[in-house]
Amino acid sequence: MLSGSGEIRPICRRCRKEVVANAGPFGVFEQMHYTCFHYEFEHPGDPDIECTAGGCPAAGISFDSVHGRLGPVEIAAASDTAVPAILALKGLHLDVSQDSGRWVARLGQARFVADDPVALLGLVKLAETRRPWRATDSEIDDVLAEFDL
């Protein structure tokens, strides 16, 4: 199909729409959008339920907002939070171990190291929710102005 700029864009053989964002790997995905390919060949069952394939387009579709997921809870970091933190890490399919007194969690090429399981879980959440996880100089300045760190 001809785009507005005059270039020819491939057409997905599943949904019959233009492939724009991932036109480069078009052939890799059997001449489909990645999402169409995923649902055609990789995703078992209900398409609205996240599967175990990495990058599943349904990821998060069945989750409530953070507010809904947290609900009314009060937790303070103490000795009774270590075991639930380890179980949460394992529930996220991370390999958890201890190395020279430090806690280590691994998943694929990701590696997290902390002094305790709760801090380890915090690092995983940091990497999950912030990309890149590091703060910019201006973000650092803003936070240091607000908090005594």
Side-chain angles (χ1 to χ4, degrees), residues 77 81-82 84-90 92 94-99 101-107 110-128:
T81 57
I86 293 167
L87 294 173
L89 290 162
K90 288 184 172 194
L92 294 170
L94 281 97
D95 293 320
V96 180
S97 62
Q98 285 182 285
D99 185 13
R102 301 203 70 200
W103 288 87
V104 179
R106 291 183 177 89
L107 181 64
R111 183 173 180 267
F112 306 91
V113 180
D115 291 331
D116 64 84
V118 175
L120 191 61
L121 182 59
L123 292 176
V124 170
K125 188 65 175 179
L126 175 62
E128 177 187 12

Side-chain angles (χ1 to χ4, degrees), residues 10-23:
I11 301 298
C12 175
R13 69 183 181 112
R14 184 171 192 256
C15 73
R16 297 288 184 222
K17 295 180 182 174
E18 285 184 65
V19 177
V20 178
N22 288 309

Side-chain angles (χ1 to χ4, degrees), residues 8-147:
I8 296 176
R9 290 201 178 130
I11 301 298
C12 175
R13 69 183 181 112
R14 184 171 192 256
C15 73
R16 297 288 184 222
K17 295 180 182 174
E18 285 184 65
V19 177
V20 178
N22 288 309
F26 181 67
V28 174
F29 296 119
E30 301 289 329
Q31 300 177 340
M32 293 182 226
H33 294 98
Y34 161 71
T35 301
C36 290
F37 176 87
H38 174 73
Y39 285 121
E40 186 75 23
F41 297 109
E42 300 172 330
H43 193 97
D46 187 336
D48 287 338
I49 297 174
E50 181 178 2
C51 71
T52 57
C56 176
I61 198 169
S62 61
F63 289 107
D64 292 335
S65 67
V66 172
H67 184 273
R69 290 192 317 262
L70 292 178
V73 65
E74 183 175 328
I75 301 174
S79 61
D80 63 345
T81 57
V83 170
I86 293 167
L87 294 173
L89 290 162
K90 288 184 172 194
L92 294 170
H93 307 290
L94 281 97
D95 293 320
V96 180
S97 62
Q98 285 182 285
D99 185 13
S100 301
R102 301 203 70 200
W103 288 87
V104 179
R106 291 183 177 89
L107 181 64
Q109 294 180 346
R111 183 173 180 267
F112 306 91
V113 180
D115 291 331
D116 64 84
V118 175
L120 191 61
L121 182 59
L123 292 176
V124 170
K125 188 65 175 179
L126 175 62
E128 177 187 12
T129 57
R130 253 188 88 87
R131 290 187 184 259
W133 66 265
R134 285 187 170 90
T136 64
D137 288 344
S138 63
E139 289 174 321
I140 292 169
D141 291 343
D142 291 345
V143 171
L144 289 178
E146 185 178 355
F147 296 98

